[in-house]
Amino acid sequence: VNDQEILQLLRSAHEFAQPDRADVRAFIEMGATLSDLGVTSISAMEMAGFIEDEIGVQFPDDELANIGSVSDFVKLVRQYSAKVAP
Amino acid sequence: VSSRANGPVVSRARREEIYREYMSFFDRAERQRRWHPEDDIPWSKLDRAANTEEMAICLETFCGVELYVPDYTANGFVINRELMGHAWFQAAWGYEESKHALVFREYLTRSGLRTVHQFLDFEDQIFAKHWTLPYATRREMICYGAVQEAATYLIYRSQREKYEKLGNSVLSQLFFLVSRDEAAHAGFYRRLLKLEFEHDWEGTLEDVAGVVFSFVMPGTHLVPDFQVRLAVEGVGISGSEFLAHAVFPMLRYVGVSRSQLMRAKRQREARPAQPAADPEFLQQALGVERSKRNAIVGRAGA
């Protein structure tokens, strides 16, 4: 999974968690922080749940709690999706 | 014979379980956790030279939240008065939280961070508003209590650590005492929550999901300029701390995974919205319920 695919996955997760915030979806890029996007920790947890279901992984709680930016999210997805890759 | 307590009927067996949980909480509180605001804080070491406005804002904000004890307890009794274990916890909880407001006020005025008149102005602002139940049912309020008490514990614990490092023995001891109380309250709510899961796994899970995803701290809409105060370090905790040390431990304690929580959230959202909590409605509902039961008991007696 490359970074662009992960970003697309994050946008889908954001649409799932915050369907009424389409205005910020285009700004989900590597340099953005979650607070820039108005994504709270609870929303990030919901986004993570969506991604976990999509790619069949389980992120550890402690790593999930430390996500503060889009690049943190991408790194986490890259790391754990690699573990389930064939 | 059962108790309703604004939610599903509570059997005698469960009432007894809740009562036993309270007795365990009470026993520990009486034997190991009682403290006196005057005697157990080293007020003679209070150093006015350590005063800062940030310190004042933190203490005043915490005090403001604790000052709603009359509303917290009055509203709490509406939904739990028919369950002795829970109602007695509410009373004990109110007593302990009331001491927190006392020590915050005492520090603010003894240190000179605030004059008595400044504090009374603040108190007027606080009491001009009313706290109402954020959720309609007793079970949802147990979920709320489990999360909120844990978050408050984390806030007070970080204050204790800060003042320990700064060598402020008065505030480190003060925050040791209040944070220990909050940890005990969080533990009681977590145990009640576990009992609810044992009784109704699916329903309780949906309530937990509903509360976790809509949670706000009680002071958010009540304490004057709360959002401005949050900018002061120590008034709140970060979202990541909240997740890592309040939400996730609670989920682990009751044996719920995040994916189960997500599914429950979706199930809850798929149903029509529940009516918001309304104390008057709750009072009336409880009154009607009691009348019905009295009528049944009366008929049985006749």
Side-chain angles (χ1 to χ4, degrees):
Chain A
V1 185
N2 64 40
D3 287 357
Q4 282 310 312
E5 288 170 324
I6 297 174
L7 283 172
Q8 194 49 47
L9 186 60
L10 278 177
R11 291 185 193 109
S12 300
H14 184 265
E15 188 174 359
F16 173 78
Q18 298 195 314
D20 52 344
R21 291 303 311 274
D23 54 316
V24 298
R25 216 151 287 141
F27 300 102
I28 298 180
E29 294 292 347
M30 293 298 261
T33 66
L34 295 188
S35 61
D36 289 341
L37 301 166
V39 174
T40 63
S41 296
I42 292 292
S43 293
M45 179 172 80
E46 194 168 10
M47 288 173 64
F50 175 89
I51 294 167
E52 286 172 331
D53 285 349
E54 286 292 308
I55 63 175
V57 298
Q58 182 80 36
F59 305 130
D61 287 349
D62 56 340
E63 292 190 44
L64 185 54
N66 285 326
I67 289 177
S69 65
V70 170
S71 61
D72 289 343
F73 235 135
V74 169
K75 202 157 57 177
L76 187 73
V77 175
R78 198 192 301 134
Q79 184 187 346
Y80 283 87
S81 60
K83 288 182 181 173
V84 294
Chain B
V1 180
S2 59
S3 175
R4 193 169 193 289
N6 195 45
V9 169
V10 182
S11 69
R12 281 192 161 193
R14 290 185 59 226
R15 283 160 62 186
E16 182 61 13
E17 284 179 328
I18 295 166
Y19 175 75
R20 288 292 152 209
E21 281 298 344
Y22 172 66
M23 283 304 285
S24 170
F25 168 89
F26 177 72
D27 180 64
R28 204 170 165 78
E30 291 293 303
R31 292 178 194 279
Q32 299 177 16
R33 213 163 37 76
R34 286 289 167 253
W35 56 275
H36 193 296
E38 198 62 54
D39 299 344
D40 293 308
I41 294 172
W43 294 107
S44 62
K45 293 181 181 167
L46 198 155
D47 178 10
R48 285 180 172 225
N51 285 358
T52 65
E53 183 55 18
E54 287 73 21
M55 179 192 285
I57 289 170
C58 277
L59 293 169
E60 189 181 65
T61 307
F62 301 150
C63 191
V65 175
E66 304 278 11
L67 279 170
Y68 285 99
V69 161
D71 291 344
Y72 302 144
T73 49
N75 284 280
F77 283 137
V78 171
I79 57 169
N80 61 35
R81 71 171 293 281
E82 297 185 0
L83 288 169
M84 184 177 178
H86 198 155
W88 261 240
F89 169 76
Q90 189 79 63
W93 175 92
Y95 156 72
E96 293 184 5
E97 299 287 351
S98 75
K99 287 199 301 187
H100 301 179
L102 289 183
V103 292
F104 292 138
R105 176 184 168 137
E106 287 301 310
Y107 194 96
L108 282 165
T109 53
R110 291 185 193 198
S111 63
L113 283 165
R114 294 288 185 264
T115 65
V116 169
H117 283 291
Q118 283 172 326
F119 185 85
L120 290 173
D121 287 343
F122 179 69
E123 200 181 272
D124 287 343
Q125 287 182 288
I126 291 293
F127 290 142
K129 290 185 177 177
H130 293 266
W131 180 87
T132 55
L133 292 169
Y135 301 97
T137 68
R138 193 181 70 84
R139 190 167 67 192
E140 288 171 306
M141 287 307 297
I142 292 171
C143 305
Y144 181 78
V147 178
Q148 185 268 322
E149 296 287 335
T152 307
Y153 160 71
L154 293 170
I155 292 168
Y156 290 171
R157 187 189 66 177
S158 82
Q159 291 286 301
R160 178 198 171 189
E161 289 167 354
K162 172 184 170 177
Y163 289 114
E164 262 175 3
K165 281 183 196 154
L166 290 172
N168 184 331
S169 58
V170 183
L171 281 179
S172 65
Q173 174 66 2
L174 185 157
F175 279 108
F176 162 71
L177 295 169
V178 298
S179 65
R180 188 178 60 173
D181 286 350
E182 302 293 350
H185 302 163
F188 179 79
Y189 277 120
R190 271 203 301 268
R191 288 190 292 280
L192 278 199
L193 193 56
K194 203 165 196 172
L195 291 180
E196 296 293 334
F197 269 101
E198 287 167 11
H199 174 68
D200 174 8
W201 174 271
E202 291 295 328
T204 306
L205 183 54
E206 282 193 29
D207 282 353
V208 170
V211 170
V212 164
F213 285 98
S214 61
F215 179 85
V216 289
M217 288 296 273
T220 306
H221 303 298
L222 295 172
V223 175
D225 306 317
F226 192 76
Q227 294 305 323
V228 177
R229 291 168 185 271
L230 274 180
V232 175
E233 192 185 343
V235 169
I237 49 170
S238 69
S240 61
E241 285 174 299
F242 176 66
L243 272 188
H245 303 297
V247 175
F248 291 156
M250 178 189 74
L251 296 180
R252 280 195 291 273
Y253 182 80
V254 294
V256 168
S257 68
R258 278 188 290 104
S259 57
Q260 286 173 314
L261 189 75
M262 298 302 163
R263 274 196 293 277
K265 177 177 185 278
R266 281 169 233 156
Q267 279 170 9
R268 185 181 168 109
E269 285 169 349
R271 272 204 294 281
Q274 299 289 313
D278 176 349
E280 259 183 55
F281 164 78
L282 293 174
Q283 287 277 17
Q284 284 172 0
L286 282 171
V288 169
E289 190 59 30
R290 276 194 293 278
S291 305
K292 276 187 198 166
R293 194 164 54 241
N294 290 343
I296 292 166
V297 170
R299 278 203 300 276

